[in-house]
């Protein structure tokens, strides 16, 4: 993996210059096909909705170590159109019913599951039964039992399971983790995260997000998870206790089964506090700030697909982090390609997805009990710190 510090202190995140995106708006310009490395890993993308069409398929063109090998869809017309667009033969198209026959397709090494959350567990288990590795979108699943079933199936098949926490492969967030580890902010006191968007029942992509059975928790499971995950990777520790409160207008047709606004607090063993909110009736927001005894660090936006920014506030003449934007989806898929080839460690395995689900469920339990404290069990410890593993160098 290439690692480079430029003269201006601009950082590069692995994968080489072909993945570098100079600015958010220039993403489309960078969409030219990338020369694939020998042994490039074939991905089957399951579910051709907004994320797959808008981000994943275009990013797979730009990845050096991974390429699109198959499409799995419930819509033959859509799959045929996308196969033609991406230069795949029709033999590389599978339906949800024929999915299991991917076992006989040697072109597929990884199955990338980009379906509604309630479908993640079954397709993960089926992919492992077919002998493939699995990259699964967040949130990992809907129930803790499903998460455990997915992890067990991966172990039984001796295959890798990675949860697609793109921010753990995104330069602003990895740089921020490094700044936290260096102690630039002083003693960490508080991480505060705000995640939300406006939902619309006329958008099929929001319909299942607003359905408790399919999403596992509305805004909290869909977007709050970024704030929970960021708080944990910024502090590099796990919460021992949480509280949550909800504010939901049940007359709003969008919120018949899920809560709208959920705010939470998390207590960490070091004494740091995490707080945050997720909401499905606000303008699009994915921001966080970390406050230490000496300085604070603001990422606003912090978790968008592009255009994230990072600044340090509070010290005199602090050098500001100069972060070069990269294709985080491409980085993530390249990273997992190297995980399955035994070249990189699995930084965000199933256990990492399960930990967020434990916290989400504890917050939901607290909400149901008027904000009562709920302890987090499990004893989870992150095996690899993205700050030192994923490979960014920064001047700050
Ligand atoms: P989407 O609704 O746009 O796409 C879902 C796809 O699943 C569609 O093609 C739909 O036809 C298909 N599908 C199959 N069975 C379905 C059913 N019973 N009901 C509804 N759809 C069904 O959703 P999306 O925004 O692409 O999200 C897919 C997954 O990706 C979710 O797990 C979501 O949380 C995750 N996601 C992650 C990010 C990220 O930044 N990492 C961003 C968006 C979504």
């Amino acid at each position: 993996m290439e690692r480079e510090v430029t003269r201006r202190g601009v950082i590069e995140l692995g994968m080489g210059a072909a993945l570098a995106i100079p600015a958010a708006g220039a993403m489309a310009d960078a969409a030219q096909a990338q020369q694939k490395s020998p042994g490039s890993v074939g991905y089957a993308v399951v579910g051709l909705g907004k994320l797959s069409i808008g981000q994943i398929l275009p990013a797979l063109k730009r990845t050096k170590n991974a390429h699109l090998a198959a499409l799995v869809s419930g819509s033959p017309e859509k799959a045929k159109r996308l196969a033609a667009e991406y230069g795949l033969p029709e033999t590389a198209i599978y339906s949800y019913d024929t999915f299991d026959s991917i076992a006989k397709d040697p072109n597929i090494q990884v199955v990338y599951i980009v379906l509604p959350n309630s479908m993640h567990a079954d397709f993960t288990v089926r992919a492992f039964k077919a002998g493939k590795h699995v990259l699964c979108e967040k949130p990992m699943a809907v129930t803790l039992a499903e998460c455990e079933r997915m992890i067990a199936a991966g172990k039984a098949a001796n295959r890798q399971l990675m949860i697609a926490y793109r921010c753990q492969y995104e330069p602003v967030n990895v740089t921020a983790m490094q700044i936290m580890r260096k102690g630039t902010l002083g003693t960490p006191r508080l991480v505060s995260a705000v995640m939300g968007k406006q939902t619309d029942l006329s958008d099929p992509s929001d319909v299942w997000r607003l359905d408790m059975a399919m999403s596992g928790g509305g805004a909290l499971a869909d977007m709050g998870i970024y704030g929970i995950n960021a708080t944990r990777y910024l502090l590099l520790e796990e919460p021992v206790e949480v509280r949550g409160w909800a504010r939901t207008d049940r007359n709003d047709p969008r919120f018949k089964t899920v809560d709208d606004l959920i705010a939470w607090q998390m207590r960490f063993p070091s004494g740091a506090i995490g707080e945050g909110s997720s909401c499905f009736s606000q303008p699009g927001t994915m921001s966080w700030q970390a406050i230490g005894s000496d300085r604070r660090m603001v990422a606003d936006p912090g978790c968008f697909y592009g255009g994230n920014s990072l600044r340090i506030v509070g010290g005199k003449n602090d050098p500001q982090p100069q972060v070069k934007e990269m294709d985080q989806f491409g980085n993530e898929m390249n990273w997992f390609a190297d995980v399955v080839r035994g070249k990189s460690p699995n930084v965000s395995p199933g256990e990492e997805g399960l930990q967020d689900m434990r916290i989400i469920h504890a917050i939901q339990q607290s909400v149901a009990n008027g904000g009562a404290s709920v302890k987090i069990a499990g004893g989870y410890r992150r095996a690899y710190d993205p700050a030192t593993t994923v490979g960014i160098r920064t001047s700050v």
Side-chain angles (χ1 to χ4, degrees):
M1 173 180 293
E2 290 168 52
R3 295 173 187 189
E4 188 186 330
V5 183
T6 71
R7 259 173 294 158
R8 286 185 302 134
V10 171
I11 57 116
E12 305 272 357
L13 171 64
M15 321 314 169
L19 263 180
I21 297 173
M27 209 170 268
D29 298 338
Q32 72 273 22
Q34 161 80 12
Q35 181 89 33
K36 304 298 177 185
S37 66
S40 166
V41 169
Y43 273 62
V45 175
V46 189
L48 303 176
K50 269 194 184 167
L51 183 68
S52 291
I53 294 174
Q55 308 300 325
I56 292 167
L57 298 180
L60 270 171
K61 274 191 183 171
R62 301 187 290 263
T63 46
K64 199 169 173 207
N65 305 330
H67 63 271
L68 182 65
L71 296 171
V72 185
S73 172
S75 162
E77 299 75 33
K78 187 167 39 173
K80 269 187 203 168
R81 177 173 57 76
L82 287 165
E85 191 181 323
Y86 284 88
L88 277 186
E90 288 195 12
T91 50
I93 297 174
Y94 296 85
S95 70
Y96 301 130
D97 293 335
T98 63
F99 174 71
D100 304 288
S101 62
I102 62 167
K104 295 193 215 94
D105 189 337
N107 297 323
I108 301 170
Q109 280 101 55
V110 167
V111 171
Y112 189 171
I113 294 167
V114 202
L115 291 162
N117 309 339
S118 58
M119 301 172 76
H120 291 183
D122 283 350
F123 275 86
T124 295
V125 172
R126 287 169 71 180
F128 283 139
K129 279 197 180 135
K132 310 300 180 186
H133 302 277
V134 174
L135 178 59
C136 179
E137 265 307 327
K138 48 51 62 181
M140 180 173 176
V142 167
T143 68
L144 302 187
E146 283 177 344
C147 296
E148 278 156 7
R149 187 156 64 91
M150 292 160 77
I151 293 169
K155 292 209 160 90
N158 196 23
R159 292 289 180 270
Q160 293 283 347
L161 169 60
M162 183 169 123
I163 309 305
Y165 284 113
R166 59 181 169 79
C167 292
Q168 297 191 21
Y169 308 87
E170 190 274 341
V172 157
N173 286 271
V174 178
T175 303
M177 291 181 226
Q178 294 177 340
I179 291 169
M180 295 296 289
R181 307 294 183 268
K182 278 178 85 171
T184 308
L185 306 189
T187 307
R189 307 302 310 277
L190 180 80
V191 177
S192 179
V194 180
M195 303 285 158
K197 68 166 196 167
Q198 198 57 254
T199 44
D200 178 355
L201 277 172
S202 68
D203 179 347
S205 187
D206 280 349
V207 170
W208 68 261
R209 282 179 164 80
L210 291 162
D211 180 305
M212 187 63 177
M214 292 197 80
S215 70
L220 177 64
D222 189 52
M223 298 191 74
I225 191 168
Y226 288 94
I228 293 165
N229 201 253
T231 305
R232 293 176 43 244
Y233 60 62
L234 288 167
L235 293 173
L236 195 62
E237 60 176 336
E238 299 303 324
V240 289
E241 182 181 7
V242 301
R243 292 172 186 273
W245 294 266
R247 184 91 189 168
T248 304
D249 176 3
R250 294 288 175 208
N251 292 319
D252 185 324
R254 295 175 295 179
F255 303 116
K256 293 299 174 203
T257 62
V258 296
D259 272 315
D260 175 16
L261 170 62
I262 289 189
W264 65 81
Q265 289 181 335
M266 301 191 267
R267 184 170 69 78
F268 288 83
S270 67
I273 300 281
E275 60 159 28
S277 64
S278 57
C279 179
F280 262 173
S281 62
Q282 70 171 55
T285 314
M286 298 189 89
S287 69
W288 55 254
Q289 70 169 312
I291 300 172
S293 51
D294 301 336
R295 292 172 180 79
R296 70 192 168 96
M297 177 165 60
V298 182
D300 186 8
C303 300
F304 279 172
Y305 295 161
N308 294 320
S309 79
L310 190 64
R311 72 196 158 89
I312 293 176
V313 186
K316 277 219 167 93
N317 303 319
D318 277 330
Q320 290 298 322
Q322 303 290 315
V323 183
K324 183 169 182 177
E325 188 151 9
M326 306 289 296
D327 180 342
Q328 55 191 294
F329 290 98
N331 285 346
E332 179 179 62
M333 289 186 282
N334 262 327
W335 187 271
F336 192 52
D338 276 349
V339 171
V340 307
R341 300 194 296 186
K343 295 182 177 182
S344 293
N346 192 339
V347 174
S348 52
E351 289 79 359
E352 170 77 355
L354 170 59
Q355 176 68 354
D356 276 341
M357 291 311 298
R358 271 191 202 107
I359 296 167
I360 286 170
H361 280 242
I363 292 170
Q364 288 170 330
Q365 201 184 325
S366 175
V367 167
N369 288 291
S373 156
V374 178
K375 299 271 187 292
I376 305 290
Y380 171 74
R381 285 287 167 273
R382 184 184 294 283
Y384 297 96
D385 179 2
T388 49
T389 314
V390 170
I392 286 183
R393 289 184 194 164
T394 170
S395 60
V396 176

